[in-house]
Amino acid sequence: MPLTTTVDDQLAAHGPPGAAPGWFDRFYLNADHLSWCRRQRASPPGGDPPDPPDPPDPLERAHRVLAATMPPDDGHPVLLWGDARPANTVVDERFAVVALLDWELAGTGAAEFDVSWLNAMNRLRAGTDPPLPGFLTEDEVWLGWSDRTGRPPRARAWFDLFAAYRVAVLLELHLDDRVRRGVLPADHPVRTDNRARRWLAELLARH
């Protein structure tokens, strides 16, 4: 099956609740993406995670900073993969990419969303800075993207912070679900002290 057909099928199957056919034709604004993260935190399956008394919850601080510093939308929608990372690619015997997997977070918006997400996923999973030998640095990823698109990234710092925020939100949902299923104690320190939150706090310190 052609890749484009697969993408269309995935988009149609995984649109927002109640979405009409062709929902992905709409250009989702930066504010839409930020609001999506807020909604995920509104009703977590395991209840609200305990907030550390000091410093304040970095996820809430990140949301406020992102809302206050949001760049203008460029008005040129692109299809966003939503979960761009090496583990979601299929390659042939020459390591040429022949398919992209995992489209349930697909949507539209600024192209920078996917690039920042790729870097955030690589950082979270590698757990090293600088990256392991043979892996591109974040600057190299952005440079390669710019070479292929013919333009520099817009508001890179904002999109990088958003990606770190989104990672932390999704990890929080995952941990809340483990609490709900009785796999993780509700007071486990990983809920308020984990790699995603620490990286988010580090980025916030630069703002």
Side-chain angles (χ1 to χ4, degrees):
M1 179 180 296
L3 178 59
T4 52
T5 301
T6 302
V7 171
D8 288 343
D9 290 344
Q10 290 288 331
L11 288 171
H14 296 292
W23 67 270
F24 47 88
D25 292 333
R26 175 174 175 246
F27 180 30
Y28 283 85
L29 306 177
N30 296 337
D32 294 323
H33 289 271
L34 188 59
S35 295
W36 182 88
C37 289
R38 170 69 86 187
R39 291 196 301 274
Q40 306 316 302
R41 298 199 76 201
S43 302
D48 292 331
D51 289 335
D54 185 33
D57 180 12
L59 279 77
E60 180 60 30
R61 286 192 290 130
H63 186 93
R64 294 176 184 179
V65 169
L66 288 164
T69 61
M70 187 179 302
D73 296 285
D74 63 19
H76 299 287
V78 299
L79 172 65
L80 296 175
W81 183 356
D83 198 5
R85 54 192 175 95
N88 284 338
T89 61
V90 177
V91 299
D92 62 17
E93 63 276 4
R94 298 184 301 274
F95 287 96
V97 176
V98 296
L100 306 177
L101 308 177
D102 208 348
W103 287 87
E104 67 266 25
L105 294 176
T108 61
E112 284 84 354
F113 279 116
D114 265 352
V115 186
S116 287
W117 180 259
L118 171 64
N119 280 333
M121 283 286 95
N122 287 344
R123 172 180 287 274
L124 180 68
R125 293 177 182 280
T128 61
D129 189 12
L132 296 173
F135 287 83
L136 296 178
T137 66
E138 293 182 14
D139 286 342
E140 289 170 336
V141 170
W142 280 110
L143 181 60
W145 178 82
S146 294
D147 286 344
R148 286 163 176 78
T149 60
R151 69 168 177 87
R154 300 182 180 95
R156 171 182 165 180
W158 190 90
F159 287 100
D160 285 347
L161 179 60
F162 176 85
Y165 171 56
R166 185 170 176 242
V167 168
V169 167
L170 293 177
L171 179 58
E172 181 178 83
L173 290 177
H174 170 69
L175 295 174
D176 286 342
D177 182 62
R178 290 175 66 84
V179 171
R180 180 181 59 82
R181 292 186 288 111
V183 179
L184 185 73
D187 60 350
H188 196 288
V190 74
R191 300 184 72 202
T192 55
D193 182 19
N194 54 61
R195 186 180 298 166
R197 280 181 170 244
R198 289 193 294 270
W199 174 236
L200 183 60
E202 184 176 331
L203 287 181
L204 284 169
R206 304 176 187 177
H207 283 261

